[in-house]
């Protein structure tokens, strides 16, 4: 067995695995079976809780408890608040994923898909995931990167608002076109 | 047919019978109306088998004319294979013109890479030049078509089961072929007295498996187009670019947003 054979056989195995994965039926189909309810839900379901999370992550309450001598309570509160912030972070990621999925569904049924646009979206997703893991890592090391968390939340909010506007306009124009099929579309 | 082992003969005849069955299925089920290039590929393959049968009977399996005629007909079959699989992919993505637009660019890029690679390897003076070119073709074929299928998966596009099996069969054959081609080049294999037979048998076995899968798949009707209004509707064609423009704006503003965050930090 030479290295060439190992390299080519591994490549074949990887390609076949990719083929099987690609041919496996997706759970949500972009046509016919796409979850339309997902489009109606507000995209920033969790991003709106940022102020509460900011409060939960602040050290004022912990400092107060520490000053009063409630050491045990302080550490328990710290632990539980950390859990809440991490949960919030996870939900934020779900929001973002749902929004990008929505964008992909729109692109899938579009008669023309711009390569640049799609690459930009991929880059955006990559940036989000990088920031997400950086924040998680920071939490793991005991830091509370509140500024970064706010940025992430703002990013989802912005994405969501624009997606909602696009979808609403899309729906309104479609409805208008159905009502007046002969009139020129604005 | 001197030089051809019994096993190879059996598998060759079995493949021929299966290809004939596929051709009959194509005509009986009228698949040729939607898959003309695939039908042509099967027809060409069958014609190649008939020609080679006569050539091997006349010149023998291991003769120089047999070698030359095999490769000459093989080039035609490979061109037909590329066209047939591109047709299948176009059919599978017929309701998603935007995604098809991305896919054909990938395939075109792959074709250019194959031509470039073949041009380079064909200039080799040793006996392996042809094999390298063929291996390059199969690798790039597999990468390009699997990339297109991954693209479809990324956009959550469900490809019809028949097209899945047909395209998957081509990709599986391509993967198997380039491994078999690599195996043939190995020194350890060349120490065996009939090492070329291992290569022939493995390639033919893989093709036989693919043919069985295709026969089963083509028993079912192929999906022609989506039900209900499709993206080709006039209304959609007006709205979708606007939505895309919105998404572009969104991407731009997010990019600006990130730029500001970076400059602030």
């Amino acid at each position: 067995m030479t290295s060439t054979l190992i390299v080519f056989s591994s490549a074949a195995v990887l390609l076949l695995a990719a083929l099987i994965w690609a041919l496996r039926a997706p759970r949500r189909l972009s046509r016919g079976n796409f979850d339309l309810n997902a489009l109606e839900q507000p995209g920033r379901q969790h991003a709106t809780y940022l102020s509460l999370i900011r409060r939960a992550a602040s050290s004022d309450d912990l400092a107060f408890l520490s000053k009063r001598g409630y050491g045990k309570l302080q550490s328990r509160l710290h632990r539980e608040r950390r859990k809440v912030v991490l949960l919030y972070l996870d939900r934020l990621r779900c929001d973002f994923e749902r929004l990008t999925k929505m964008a992909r569904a729109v692109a899938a049924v579009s008669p023309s898909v711009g390569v640049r646009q799609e690459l930009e979206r991929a880059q955006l997703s990559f940036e989000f995931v990088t920031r997400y893991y950086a924040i998680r890592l920071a939490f793991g090391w005991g830091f509370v990167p509140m500024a970064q968390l706010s940025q992430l939340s703002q990013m989802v909010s912005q994405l969501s608002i624009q997606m909602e506007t696009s979808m609403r306009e899309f729906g309104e124009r479609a409805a208008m076109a159905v009502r007046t099929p002969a009139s020129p579309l604005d | 047919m001197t030089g051809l082992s019994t096993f190879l003969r059996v598998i060759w005849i079995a493949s021929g019978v299966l290809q004939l069955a596929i051709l009959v299925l194509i005509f009986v089920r009228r698949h040729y109306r939607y898959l003309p290039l695939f039908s042509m590929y099967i027809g060409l393959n069958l014609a190649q088998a008939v020609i080679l049968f006569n050539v091997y009977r006349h010149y023998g399996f291991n003769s120089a004319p047999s070698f030359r005629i095999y490769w000459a007909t093989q080039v035609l079959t490979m061109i037909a294979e590329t066209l047939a699989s591109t047709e299948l992919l176009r059919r599978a993505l017929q309701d998603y013109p935007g995604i098809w637009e991305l896919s054909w660019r990938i395939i075109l890029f792959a074709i250019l890479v194959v031509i470039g690679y073949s041009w380079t390897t064909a200039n080799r003076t040793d006996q392996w030049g042809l094999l390298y070119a063929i291996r390059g073709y199969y690798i790039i074929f597999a990468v390009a078509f699997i990339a297109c299928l991954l693209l479809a998966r990324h956009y959550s596009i469900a490809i019809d089961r028949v097209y899945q099996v047909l395209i998957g069969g081509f990709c599986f054959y391509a993967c198997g072929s380039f491994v078999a081609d690599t195996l043939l080049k190995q020194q350890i294999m060349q120490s065996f007295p009939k090492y070329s037979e291992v290569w022939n048998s493995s390639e033919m076995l893989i093709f036989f498996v693919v043919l069985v899968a295709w026969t089963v798949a083509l028993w079912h009707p192929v999906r022609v187009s989506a039900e209900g209004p499709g993206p080709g509707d006039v209304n959609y064609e007006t709205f979708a670019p606007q939505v895309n423009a919105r998404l572009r704006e969104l991407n731009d503003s997010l990019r600006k947003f990130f730029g500001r965050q970076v400059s602030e930090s």
Side-chain angles (χ1 to χ4, degrees), chain B residues 198-234:
Chain B
V198 179
W199 174 67
N200 271 317
S201 310
S202 53
E203 287 220 335
M204 287 184 86
L205 257 176
I206 294 163
F207 191 54
F208 181 77
V209 170
V210 171
L211 285 174
V212 172
W214 283 353
T215 314
V216 175
L218 286 167
W219 203 264
H220 305 282
V222 292
R223 189 171 151 277
V224 181
S225 68
E227 290 159 12
D233 280 4
V234 180

Side-chain angles (χ1 to χ4, degrees), chain B residues 53-104:
Chain B
F53 179 79
N54 288 309
V55 168
Y56 292 160
R57 205 171 53 172
H58 195 264
Y59 296 104
F61 182 64
N62 293 316
S63 65
S66 298
F67 178 83
R68 275 198 292 271
I69 292 167
Y70 169 77
W71 286 112
T73 51
Q74 190 60 17
V75 170
L76 290 176
T77 316
M78 282 160 78
I79 292 169
E81 189 179 343
T82 312
L83 291 174
S85 30
T86 308
E87 177 193 60
L88 289 169
L89 199 66
R90 188 180 65 86
R91 279 270 165 210
L93 299 174
Q94 60 191 336
D95 297 322
Y96 307 94
I99 307 303
W100 165 241
E101 208 176 281
L102 287 179
S103 303
W104 74 251

Side-chain angles (χ1 to χ4, degrees), chain B residues 13-14 97 123 243 262:
Chain B
I13 291 165
N123 289 331
V243 174
V262 169

Side-chain angles (χ1 to χ4, degrees), chain B residues 138-204:
Chain B
Y138 280 123
I139 293 171
I140 294 158
F141 179 97
V143 170
F145 279 89
I146 292 172
C148 291
L149 292 172
L150 287 173
L151 199 71
R153 168 87 195 179
H154 175 70
Y155 289 100
S156 306
I157 293 171
I159 294 175
D160 181 61
R161 186 60 68 183
V162 177
Y163 295 126
Q164 273 190 0
V165 176
L166 298 179
I167 302 169
F170 275 123
C171 294
F172 177 71
Y173 179 64
C175 288
S177 291
F178 77 71
V179 173
D181 289 346
T182 311
L183 199 70
L184 179 74
K185 179 79 174 57
Q186 299 304 303
Q187 287 295 327
I188 191 164
M189 287 303 297
Q190 288 168 38
S191 58
F192 289 106
K194 285 186 174 177
Y195 73 96
S196 67
E197 227 182 273
V198 179
W199 174 67
N200 271 317
S201 310
S202 53
E203 287 220 335
M204 287 184 86

Side-chain angles (χ1 to χ4, degrees), chain A residues 88-127:
Chain A
Y88 171 75
L89 194 63
D90 280 343
R91 295 291 96 199
L92 213 57
R93 193 185 171 180
C94 289
D95 278 358
F96 185 83
E97 278 174 359
R98 203 159 49 80
L99 285 166
T100 48
K101 198 177 269 182
M102 207 192 285
R104 279 207 303 267
V106 171
V109 289
S110 170
S112 172
V113 178
V115 179
R116 196 179 133 259
Q117 192 185 331
E118 292 305 298
L119 287 175
E120 274 176 0
R121 199 178 300 144
Q123 187 193 346
L124 178 72
S125 300
F126 176 74
E127 280 175 21

Side-chain angles (χ1 to χ4, degrees), chain A:
Chain A
M1 288 276 276
T2 64
S3 55
T4 324
L5 187 62
I6 294 168
V7 168
F8 280 99
S9 303
S10 312
V13 169
L14 277 176
L15 281 168
L16 285 173
L19 177 70
I20 292 164
W21 187 78
L23 291 179
R24 229 180 47 189
R27 266 182 291 168
R28 275 184 193 168
L29 317 177
S30 58
R31 176 179 290 278
N33 202 17
F34 185 77
D35 186 7
L36 291 170
N37 293 329
L39 301 179
E40 286 168 11
Q41 287 167 13
R44 53 185 195 290
Q45 277 174 314
H46 300 92
T48 45
Y49 302 128
L50 180 69
S51 56
L52 294 171
I53 296 299
R54 203 193 293 268
R55 178 88 194 124
S58 88
S59 55
D60 296 351
D61 298 342
L62 298 175
F64 174 77
L65 288 172
S66 171
K67 210 187 283 176
R68 288 290 173 106
Y70 296 111
K72 251 187 173 172
L73 185 63
Q74 184 223 1
S75 61
R76 193 181 145 199
L77 190 69
H78 178 66
R79 228 179 17 252
E80 284 183 359
R81 280 183 167 187
R82 233 175 74 87
K83 260 189 217 165
V84 169
V85 175
L86 284 174
L87 207 64
Y88 171 75
L89 194 63
D90 280 343
R91 295 291 96 199
L92 213 57
R93 193 185 171 180
C94 289
D95 278 358
F96 185 83
E97 278 174 359
R98 203 159 49 80
L99 285 166
T100 48
K101 198 177 269 182
M102 207 192 285
R104 279 207 303 267
V106 171
V109 289
S110 170
S112 172
V113 178
V115 179
R116 196 179 133 259
Q117 192 185 331
E118 292 305 298
L119 287 175
E120 274 176 0
R121 199 178 300 144
Q123 187 193 346
L124 178 72
S125 300
F126 176 74
E127 280 175 21
F128 183 88
V129 170
T130 314
R131 279 164 187 266
Y132 168 82
Y133 281 109
I135 293 169
R136 276 202 82 101
L137 209 67
F139 265 103
W141 284 338
F143 298 108
V144 184
M146 210 50 228
Q148 280 76 15
L149 194 65
S150 304
Q151 282 169 19
L152 209 65
S153 181
Q154 270 179 13
M155 196 176 151
V156 175
S157 294
Q158 215 171 350
L159 180 70
S160 167
I161 290 164
Q162 299 226 19
M163 276 302 294
E164 275 173 38
T165 314
S166 297
M167 295 311 291
R168 197 172 50 243
E169 277 182 18
F170 183 82
E172 280 169 7
R173 281 167 188 269
M176 214 167 73
V178 168
R179 261 184 258 127
T180 54
S183 68
L185 301 159
D186 59 322

